[in-house]
Amino acid sequence: METHLQQQLESLKSALLSMAALVEEQIARSITAHVERDIALCELVIGGDQPIDAMELEIDDQCIRLLALQHPIARDLRFVASSMKITIDLERMGDIAVNIAKKTKQLAGMPQLKPLIDLPRMADLSQSMVKDSLNAFVRGDEQLAMDVCARDEEVNQLQDQIYQELLTCMTEDSGSVPQAMQLIFISRHIERLADHATNIAEGVVYFSEGRVIKHHAADDPNQPPTRPESGGPA
Amino acid sequence: METHLQQQLESLKSALLSMAALVEEQIARSITAHVERDIALCELVIGGDQPIDAMELEIDDQCIRLLALQHPIARDLRFVASSMKITIDLERMGDIAVNIAKKTKQLAGMPQLKPLIDLPRMADLSQSMVKDSLNAFVRGDEQLAMDVCARDEEVNQLQDQIYQELLTCMTEDSGSVPQAMQLIFISRHIERLADHATNIAEGVVYFSEGRVIKHHAADDPNQPPTRPESGGPA
């Protein structure tokens, strides 16, 4: 029985890794497509979301079967529960990649604004958080997970700077409004990738230790910052 | 054993209802605060998020204990799995109410733009979706859940209209950019409330029947539309 449970847990982990790899690829492509204004790559991203959606459903099924038939406990049970939550973040990150590709397509038909220095930096940082949160999950590396949570604040600050820069741009030149709006939306999408990476990292600490770090930053100065409220620009 | 399981399921349902009631109250307050430009009410919303965060953690614990000790199967197991997912949507809806309150505070210090006719309509519609998705969950009312999913498209269309109206406003009068931006963010937050309600409604169909309706609209013309990609304006 024990062996069968372990096999099923390994199979679940492997399915999550496949889903994560697809999501990482979609994110990387959407950001490259944005930087290089590559419409063909945008289309590839937009068409590439379906397998991710399908994997979310498959993994949920796998978790339900595992719970029904194997009755995992303690760390194994927390791993399965975390997996069901992580698929939500992965699926939504996949949607965000599609949204970045759609906004990039809209931008491509407009005159180009001056390049934003902070946007590629913010994209790199968010991508590294996504990658590291997934690595932390696979290895059960709590330290790496805490490190991911700590980086979220930097992404929020960069987004703030980008927003202020684009706001100035729009007030000084109303002709720039349509492009600036698309860039604001893209920067918000990138910031939300970092939020989802933070959610995953919080889940890693939970399944490793049964310890909850989200929502608790104010209680303990040694904890990394909690995730920001979803959505709003900082 | 059966009785104990049923008791724990009832207790889980009751905890979810308490969390949902708090979230609904926060949403209603944030929208009233926006419509009436009521700063004191904004502060109340901003300060009112902590109990919701705490309830998410408590309900997750309750689910884990229930899975570990009671080994629910079939419909009961799906109910517990759905509950863990629903808390994520509820918690994020709570965050959105806080974000609406924060944006409303920022708006209050700026000269008022002309009233947007579609924004209160969109807010009413989203609030009705939130209420109905939770009612559908409590009653296991699949028909009501499908009805919630079908209403999401109308919210997306209203958000589109609001966005176009504000875009015109900004290009015609650059002095309106800061206020218009806050209104765009608020309308996006309201649209995301509807997305979360749709997620909950999809979960209701799943736990009632073990049938998945999300991601499948393209396959079956009789299904309600799937939720839109998160984030982007339509």
Side-chain angles (χ1 to χ4, degrees):
Chain A
M1 193 67 167
E2 177 68 11
T3 312
H4 205 66
L5 169 63
Q6 289 312 320
Q7 278 172 359
Q8 291 203 10
L9 287 170
E10 278 308 310
S11 154
L12 171 59
K13 194 188 238 182
S14 144
L16 277 165
L17 282 179
S18 303
M19 184 176 178
L22 278 184
V23 171
E24 275 193 74
E25 188 179 31
Q26 284 282 92
I27 292 171
R29 280 178 172 164
S30 71
I31 288 171
T32 304
H34 173 68
V35 173
E36 300 179 1
R37 295 170 82 93
D38 183 338
I39 301 298
L41 196 53
C42 289
E43 296 294 357
L44 203 65
V45 172
I46 294 166
D49 194 44
Q50 195 279 330
I52 294 174
D53 292 347
M55 289 190 84
E56 184 195 9
L57 304 179
E58 277 168 35
I59 292 172
D60 277 355
D61 270 359
Q62 223 173 322
C63 290
I64 292 283
R65 279 200 309 274
L66 214 156
L67 291 170
L69 302 173
Q70 303 295 329
H71 308 310
I73 55 163
R75 197 174 192 281
D76 293 338
L77 174 56
R78 292 198 305 272
F79 176 78
V80 177
S82 293
S83 298
M84 285 197 292
K85 293 201 176 237
I86 280 178
T87 57
I88 296 182
D89 286 298
L90 286 173
E91 191 270 333
R92 292 183 191 172
M93 287 198 274
D95 287 344
I96 290 173
V98 170
N99 285 341
I100 292 172
K102 286 182 177 172
K103 296 272 160 282
T104 296
K105 267 180 72 182
Q106 288 176 28
L107 254 182
M110 302 173 183
Q112 201 158 0
L113 287 189
K114 71 180 168 72
L116 293 164
I117 298 161
D118 290 331
L119 196 70
R121 215 174 114 210
M122 186 178 157
D124 284 348
L125 192 56
S126 291
Q127 275 186 285
S128 78
M129 286 173 67
V130 171
K131 196 180 258 321
D132 287 346
S133 67
L134 297 168
N135 281 334
F137 173 74
V138 178
R139 300 184 209 142
D141 184 339
E142 200 199 331
Q143 193 49 52
L144 186 59
M146 304 277 274
D147 184 54
V148 169
C149 297
R151 269 179 271 167
D152 196 36
E153 189 47 36
E154 195 181 338
V155 171
N156 293 338
Q157 281 168 9
L158 284 169
Q159 204 220 345
D160 234 3
Q161 284 162 226
I162 291 168
Y163 177 67
Q164 290 305 330
E165 195 176 337
L166 289 167
L167 201 61
T168 306
C169 194
M170 289 192 289
T171 31
E172 285 174 358
D173 169 19
S174 66
S176 71
V177 166
Q179 298 98 299
M181 284 306 304
Q182 298 305 318
L183 287 169
I184 287 173
F185 289 135
I186 288 173
S187 74
R188 283 164 61 91
H189 287 316
I190 293 173
E191 187 265 336
R192 285 181 59 208
L193 289 175
D195 286 347
H196 285 293
T198 304
N199 291 342
I200 291 177
E202 289 167 346
V204 171
V205 178
Y206 172 68
F207 101 79
S208 301
E209 299 206 336
R211 182 162 69 84
V212 172
I213 59 169
K214 68 180 170 180
H215 307 316
H216 281 180
D219 307 336
D220 181 352
N222 297 317
Q223 297 291 355
T226 51
R227 64 167 184 257
E229 299 84 9
S230 55
Chain B
M1 192 67 166
E2 179 67 12
T3 312
H4 206 66
L5 169 63
Q6 290 311 322
Q7 277 171 0
Q8 291 201 10
L9 288 170
E10 279 306 312
S11 152
L12 171 60
K13 194 187 237 182
S14 143
L16 277 166
L17 282 179
S18 303
M19 184 177 178
L22 279 184
V23 171
E24 275 194 75
E25 187 179 31
Q26 285 281 93
I27 292 171
R29 280 177 173 166
S30 71
I31 287 171
T32 304
H34 173 68
V35 173
E36 300 179 0
R37 295 170 83 93
D38 182 338
I39 301 297
L41 196 54
C42 288
E43 296 294 356
L44 202 66
V45 172
I46 294 167
D49 195 43
Q50 195 279 331
I52 294 174
D53 292 348
M55 289 191 85
E56 184 195 10
L57 305 179
E58 277 168 34
I59 291 172
D60 277 356
D61 269 0
Q62 222 174 323
C63 289
I64 291 283
R65 279 200 309 275
L66 212 157
L67 291 170
L69 302 174
Q70 303 294 330
H71 308 309
I73 55 163
R75 197 173 192 280
D76 293 338
L77 174 55
R78 293 199 305 274
F79 176 78
V80 177
S82 292
S83 298
M84 285 197 293
K85 292 198 177 242
I86 281 179
T87 57
I88 296 182
D89 287 298
L90 286 174
E91 190 271 332
R92 292 183 191 171
M93 286 197 275
D95 287 344
I96 290 173
V98 170
N99 285 340
I100 292 172
K102 286 182 177 171
K103 296 272 160 284
T104 296
K105 266 180 72 182
Q106 288 175 29
L107 255 182
M110 302 173 183
Q112 200 157 1
L113 287 189
K114 71 180 168 74
L116 294 163
I117 297 161
D118 289 332
L119 198 70
R121 215 175 114 208
M122 186 178 158
D124 284 348
L125 193 56
S126 291
Q127 275 186 286
S128 79
M129 286 173 68
V130 170
K131 195 179 259 319
D132 287 346
S133 68
L134 297 168
N135 281 334
F137 174 75
V138 178
R139 300 184 211 144
D141 183 339
E142 201 199 331
Q143 193 50 52
L144 186 58
M146 304 278 273
D147 183 54
V148 169
C149 297
R151 270 178 270 167
D152 196 35
E153 189 47 38
E154 194 183 338
V155 172
N156 292 338
Q157 281 169 9
L158 284 170
Q159 203 220 345
D160 235 3
Q161 284 162 229
I162 291 168
Y163 177 67
Q164 291 305 330
E165 193 176 339
L166 290 167
L167 202 62
T168 307
C169 193
M170 289 192 288
T171 34
E172 286 174 357
D173 169 19
S174 67
S176 71
V177 166
Q179 298 98 298
M181 284 305 305
Q182 298 305 320
L183 287 169
I184 287 173
F185 290 134
I186 288 173
S187 73
R188 283 164 60 91
H189 288 316
I190 294 174
E191 187 266 334
R192 285 181 58 210
L193 288 175
D195 286 347
H196 285 292
T198 305
N199 290 342
I200 291 176
E202 288 167 346
V204 171
V205 178
Y206 172 68
F207 102 78
S208 302
E209 299 205 337
R211 180 163 69 85
V212 172
I213 59 168
K214 68 180 169 180
H215 308 315
H216 282 180
D219 307 335
D220 181 351
N222 296 318
Q223 297 291 354
T226 51
R227 66 167 182 256
E229 299 84 9
S230 53

